[in-house]
Structures are given as structure tokens and as C-alpha cells.
Amino acid sequence: MTLDAAQAFLQVHGVAHSYGGVQAVRGVDLEVRSGEFVGLIGPNGAGKTTLLDLISGAVHPQRGRVVFKGQDITGKPFHAVARLGLVRTFQTARVFARMTVLSNLMSAPAGQRGEDLVPSVFGGWREQERTQLGRAREMLGRFRIGEAADQYGSELSGGQRRLTELSRTLMAGPTMLLLDEPFAGVSPTNRARLAAHLRALSTERGITILMIEHRLDLVEQLCARIVVMAEGRAIAEGTMSDLRRNKTVVSAYLGEVSAHAG
Ligand code: ATP
């Protein structure tokens, strides 16, 4: 189960967190290699979102350690973690409602790529803004939401909100994305499109991804390795077919899902 430390992009060692009396995450170990697209599944309340919060710096673990690209990031604030290239999206897509799609993208924090760091002493602000605008337009084109560039966040469909949030996240130049139910609120017709975009981020741009998702068909399509959480613990991992054969996983989650599907 343990990967070669040199290959591990993200290492989570025994993280734990309680909200009052609720032990949301009870000591989870997890490793993700560079370029992997890993799924995180499990029943409601299993602790999946809390685990993403603990990795991304939104919530600080009461126990355990998080190491990203060899650097201990435990307890670092969200924005500092994002600056290192580890960025998350949310269960409910976060888009500024009173800003246009283009302004949403332009408001993304400056990324880490060299072209974003043109020093202002050389009159670089305008240059930097032009570069950002170019990147924003390229992003809108890539995700085919250019026609919505001047629409306000509040006017967007579920799919457009997701793509706007994702584009804004990508403006920061992340090397790893933590996605919390990216397909929630996306219409069935747009699901395949979003899945293709996510696959391309992984295969073409080499972005490492850890994704929580309840739609197991999409998890199976996108993720070669899937980790299952239940009651605050990581209880199993493997391909979807491995997990279907795992009695513990079937009784903790998959049985429940197929009962609902049936
Ligand atoms: P879901 O699939 O429903 O999103 P999840 O696996 O992401 O669930 P979490 O949202 O991490 O699970 O919740 C784990 C536990 O922690 C649950 O019992 C939840 O009620 C509790 N919890 C989560 N956030 C908070 C909070 N801010 N305050 C108090 N309890 C919380």
C-alpha cells in the first residue's frame, strides 16, 4: 500500500480531526503519486470533505502530518498551500455571483508561473494584467464558456458554474487539484463534457487529482485507483472492480449505493 517516498506527490500521515464530539477523520494515511487521478468515495458523513479540508489547509489537523512535494504543509493556511500549487474546489461551486465570468477568472490569485511574477518596478503591472487576461480568455475557450464571459456568476447554469470555478482555480497554475463532488449540479448532458475536461487536465497537463464523487460510473471512468472512506477511516483502496469484490466495502458503501440504484 505504501508507495515509494520519492514518487509520492502528496503524503498524508495519520491525520485526525473532531468537531466537538464528532470524530470526522480518525487517523487517515493516504499517498498520491505525481500525475495520478485518485477517487475518494464513501457514504455521507464518512469524513471525505473534512479530509480535503485538512489537506488543503482550510481546517488544521489535530493529529498527523501532510507533506506536499516533500514539504511539510501541516497547519499552513489555505492561501499558502494554494501558492505551493495545491488547490481545491468545493461541493457547492464557489463563484462570485456579482462578478462576470471573466472578472471571476481575473480575480484568481496570481499563480506561481514565472510570467505572473513580472516585477512591478519594470512597469510590469499592465503587462501582468495583459498576460492574465490572455490566460483567462484561453481558459474560457478551452472550457467552451467564452459565450458566458460577460454573464454574471448569478446567471450561470450548474455546469457553467463548475467550469467557471475550475477555470478560476486553474488560473493559479496548480500542480494538484482536490475536487469535491465536481459533478454535483451538472446536467446529464454536460457530465460527459466535464469528465473529458478533467481527464485532459490529468493526461495532457499532468495535473495530479484527488476527487470526491458519489457518481461511481464517473469515478470508475476517470480514476485508476479509488480510496474508500467510512466512519472517518480509509477502509480500502483499489480499482472499482477490486472494490466490488471487497465485502467490507460492499457492506459499508457499495451495497447501499446499488440498493439505491436498484
Ligand atoms: P458527504 O458525502 O455527505 O459530503 P463526507 O464524507 O464529506 O460526507 P464530512 O462532510 O467530512 O463527510 O463530515 C464528517 C462528519 O463530520 C459528519 O458527521 C459531519 O456531520 C461532521 N462535520 C463536518 N463538518 C462539520 C462542521 N463544520 N461542524 C461540525 N460537524 C461537522
Side-chain angles (χ1 to χ4, degrees), residues 19 22 24 42-51 91 180-181 212 214:
Y19 294 104
V22 180
N44 292 335
K48 305 179 297 295
T49 295
T50 304
L51 181 62
Q91 226 167 68
D180 196 348
E181 296 190 37
I212 299 177
H214 282 287

Side-chain angles (χ1 to χ4, degrees), residues 17-25 40-53 59 91 180-181 212-214 229-232 253:
H17 192 84
S18 301
Y19 294 104
V22 180
Q23 288 187 291
V25 173
L40 183 59
I41 65 172
N44 292 335
K48 305 179 297 295
T49 295
T50 304
L51 181 62
L52 249 54
D53 287 337
V59 174
Q91 226 167 68
D180 196 348
E181 296 190 37
I212 299 177
E213 185 49 55
H214 282 287
M229 276 187 79
E231 296 179 1
Y253 185 48

Side-chain angles (χ1 to χ4, degrees), residues 100-154:
T100 65
V101 167
L102 187 61
S103 307
N104 263 279
L105 265 63
M106 292 298 286
S107 71
Q112 330 165 49
R113 288 158 50 166
E115 71 259 39
D116 296 325
L117 301 173
V118 180
S120 57
V121 285
F122 299 124
W125 281 123
R126 210 168 296 152
E127 184 57 38
Q128 186 180 4
E129 195 170 314
R130 253 201 299 275
T131 308
Q132 286 289 91
L133 191 59
R135 289 184 61 209
R137 293 219 178 268
E138 184 212 316
M139 209 71 82
L140 295 176
R142 179 200 305 267
F143 291 113
R144 292 193 271 155
I145 45 172
E147 77 284 359
D150 297 324
Q151 270 175 255
Y152 285 98
S154 56

Side-chain angles (χ1 to χ4, degrees), residues 6-249:
Q7 285 183 297
F9 206 57
L10 173 74
Q11 296 170 295
V12 176
H13 302 287
V15 291
H17 192 84
S18 301
Y19 294 104
V22 180
Q23 288 187 291
V25 173
R26 301 168 185 239
V28 168
D29 292 319
L30 172 73
E31 294 191 335
V32 180
R33 277 174 297 211
S34 175
E36 264 197 302
F37 195 147
V38 176
L40 183 59
I41 65 172
N44 292 335
K48 305 179 297 295
T49 295
T50 304
L51 181 62
L52 249 54
D53 287 337
L54 295 174
I55 296 170
S56 65
V59 174
H60 297 159
Q62 288 153 347
R63 230 171 2 95
R65 267 184 340 120
V66 182
V67 178
F68 179 60
K69 292 199 284 186
Q71 187 171 339
D72 192 329
I73 58 166
T74 322
K76 276 197 192 297
F78 191 74
H79 59 88
V81 173
R83 264 206 301 275
L84 293 173
L86 178 55
V87 184
R88 68 166 294 183
T89 65
F90 294 86
Q91 226 167 68
T92 309
R94 294 195 179 175
V95 168
F96 296 116
R98 294 185 189 189
M99 283 166 95
T100 65
V101 167
L102 187 61
S103 307
N104 263 279
L105 265 63
M106 292 298 286
S107 71
Q112 330 165 49
R113 288 158 50 166
E115 71 259 39
D116 296 325
L117 301 173
V118 180
S120 57
V121 285
F122 299 124
W125 281 123
R126 210 168 296 152
E127 184 57 38
Q128 186 180 4
E129 195 170 314
R130 253 201 299 275
T131 308
Q132 286 289 91
L133 191 59
R135 289 184 61 209
R137 293 219 178 268
E138 184 212 316
M139 209 71 82
L140 295 176
R142 179 200 305 267
F143 291 113
R144 292 193 271 155
I145 45 172
E147 77 284 359
D150 297 324
Q151 270 175 255
Y152 285 98
S154 56
E155 299 168 341
L156 303 177
S157 70
Q160 287 172 323
R161 284 176 69 84
R162 281 288 165 206
L163 292 173
T164 302
E165 185 195 41
L166 191 59
S167 310
R168 184 173 182 277
T169 304
L170 292 171
M171 288 290 288
T175 49
M176 179 162 188
L177 285 176
L178 304 169
L179 305 176
D180 196 348
E181 296 190 37
F183 293 94
V186 177
S187 69
T189 40
N190 284 328
R191 266 185 219 136
R193 199 171 134 202
L194 179 58
H197 285 312
L198 295 182
R199 183 179 288 115
L201 290 179
S202 163
T203 58
E204 290 167 23
R205 298 190 51 187
I207 295 180
T208 306
I209 303 178
L210 176 63
M211 174 180 80
I212 299 177
E213 185 49 55
H214 282 287
R215 291 202 58 95
L216 299 184
D217 52 339
L218 295 164
V219 175
E220 184 165 22
Q221 256 178 48
L222 293 168
C223 307
R225 187 161 67 95
I226 298 155
V227 175
V228 188
M229 276 187 79
E231 296 179 1
R233 294 198 168 85
I235 58 164
E237 66 168 71
T239 63
M240 192 60 86
S241 46
D242 294 335
L243 298 177
R244 284 201 194 93
R245 286 193 299 267
N246 182 321
K247 287 200 175 87
T248 313
V249 174

